[in-house]
Amino acid sequence: MDVSLILKVAGVGLLVAVISQILSKYGRDDQSTFVGIAGILVVLSFLVGELGELLESVRSIFGL
């Protein structure tokens, strides 16, 4: 795992939090929810590649 991945996740989290707060302030709560869901999907797409590498490492260690 690289530090850049942690920074990307933190950046997406901050961006989603700011946009969500702005939308909530102007009464767009439904769009704020969609922004939160989109942020979660973006972070999960970052993590899919890392999980694939983790599983490959586990397979190679145990010889599966």
Side-chain angles (χ1 to χ4, degrees), residues 1-14 46:
M1 190 161 92
D2 198 12
V3 177
S4 66
L5 179 65
I6 295 170
L7 293 176
K8 286 180 187 177
V9 170
V12 169
L14 286 173
F46 288 157

Side-chain angles (χ1 to χ4, degrees), residues 49-59:
E50 294 295 320
L51 287 175
E53 291 178 19
L54 175 66
L55 290 176
E56 281 299 317
S57 297
V58 169
R59 285 182 184 169

Side-chain angles (χ1 to χ4, degrees), residues 16-57:
V16 166
V18 168
I19 293 173
S20 180
Q21 288 294 321
I22 291 170
L23 288 173
S24 293
K25 184 176 180 180
Y26 289 111
R28 307 279 186 174
D29 292 327
D30 52 343
Q31 291 176 353
S32 174
T33 302
F34 289 135
V35 167
I37 292 170
I40 290 171
L41 292 176
V42 168
V43 169
L44 286 177
S45 70
F46 288 157
L47 295 178
V48 165
E50 294 295 320
L51 287 175
E53 291 178 19
L54 175 66
L55 290 176
E56 281 299 317
S57 297

